[in-house]
Amino acid sequence: IANRHVQGFAQNCLLVHAQGHVRTQDMYAGYLMWAEEERQEPIGHRDFDFAMADHLVQIGGIRDERGYRGCRFRADFIRRLDGINSKEAKKRLGMSLHELMAGKRPGSEQ
């Protein structure tokens, strides 16, 4: 299952790029977004890491201590990630503002 997920994720979201580097956390976060879009139950970080390292070896990349070398996110995938991050930030800001307005004011008796 992990290999199938990594292959699908790589095919849809990554490019082979000799100078490319993606941090471990960023790669897994990108994978989680892909899994959600594809309506797939995500695999754990450790299984993903093992399968991604194996996949990279096949395309000429490597897994180092900080991340994955030899690939990078596709431009369209980066735009989708930015869109999700922007929506999430706006949602959290809105929730915080709502919570602030609904909460107790300093010095108020309730």
Side-chain angles (χ1 to χ4, degrees):
I1 293 174
N3 287 331
R4 188 175 70 233
H5 277 227
V6 164
Q7 288 173 0
F9 170 66
Q11 183 178 10
N12 291 328
C13 305
L14 299 177
L15 289 173
V16 174
H17 188 270
Q19 300 302 315
H21 181 260
V22 180
R23 293 180 347 175
T24 306
Q25 303 92 321
D26 294 342
M27 185 71 84
Y28 190 65
Y31 160 73
L32 291 175
M33 189 183 106
W34 173 85
E36 184 178 326
E37 287 178 343
E38 296 293 316
R39 292 184 165 79
Q40 299 287 325
E41 185 68 31
I43 57 176
H45 193 155
R46 183 175 284 190
D47 292 334
F48 173 81
D49 188 51
F50 182 78
M52 181 55 75
D54 186 52
H55 178 73
L56 280 176
V57 167
Q58 296 174 22
I59 63 169
I62 61 166
R63 164 70 162 94
D64 65 19
E65 67 277 355
R66 294 186 187 168
Y68 306 96
R69 295 198 179 274
C71 64
R72 66 178 176 84
F73 288 131
R74 292 177 181 265
D76 63 320
F77 188 66
I78 291 172
R79 283 192 295 275
R80 291 195 328 248
L81 280 174
D82 287 343
I84 294 293
N85 291 338
S86 175
K87 288 177 191 175
E88 186 65 24
K90 287 177 185 177
K91 177 182 169 187
R92 289 182 185 199
L93 177 61
M95 288 172 51
S96 297
L97 182 59
H98 174 73
E99 290 171 1
L100 179 64
M101 293 177 73
K104 293 182 184 180
R105 283 185 257 170
S108 68
E109 305 274 336
Q110 286 187 353

